[in-house]
Amino acid sequence: MDLSRKLLEVNKDIEFSPVQNKGVLKYMPKTDAGFRVSPIIVPLHSALKECAEFENNSEFLLVNRLGEFHSRTSYRRLWEKSSAK
C-alpha cells in the first residue's frame, strides 16, 4: 500500500487451510489477474491512512491486533460487520 501515491498493490494471496482455522500466506496469486495495482479512492484513502497508524508495521492490510493474519472465523466476522454498515 502506497498511501502517498494512493495506490494499492496486490501481489500475494492468503489461503485458509481446510484443516486449520488460520490464514496461510501464498507468495503467488493463483492467476496473473491476482497481480494488480489499483488506485485508492478518496474516501478509502482517509480510512486506510487512519488504519495504517495502528497496523503494527505490517506490510499486509488486514491483520489482527498482533499483526498476524486473521483466522477464517475472524475474517468472516470482520467482513460481516463491515458489510452490515
Side-chain angles (χ1 to χ4, degrees), residues 3 5 8 12 15 20 31 35 39 45 60-61 65 79 81:
L3 290 175
R5 293 179 24 210
L8 183 64
K12 294 178 182 63
E15 184 175 88
Q20 297 176 339
T31 66
F35 293 96
H45 182 264
F60 301 103
L61 186 57
R65 291 180 302 215
W79 183 256
K81 184 178 177 183

Side-chain angles (χ1 to χ4, degrees), residues 18-76:
V19 178
Q20 297 176 339
N21 187 30
K22 65 180 186 178
V24 178
L25 178 64
K26 291 178 62 180
Y27 286 94
M28 299 290 289
K30 291 183 216 173
T31 66
D32 287 343
F35 293 96
R36 57 197 173 277
V37 177
S38 301
I40 300 172
I41 60 174
V42 174
L44 180 59
H45 182 264
S46 301
L48 290 175
K49 201 170 176 183
E50 188 177 312
C51 287
E53 296 172 12
F54 303 103
E55 285 297 332
N56 296 329
N57 298 321
S58 175
E59 68 177 300
F60 301 103
L61 186 57
L62 293 172
V63 293
N64 64 20
R65 291 180 302 215
L66 303 174
E68 301 168 342
F69 301 127
H70 284 276
S71 67
R72 180 189 302 267
T73 306
S74 67
Y75 182 77
R76 188 192 76 235

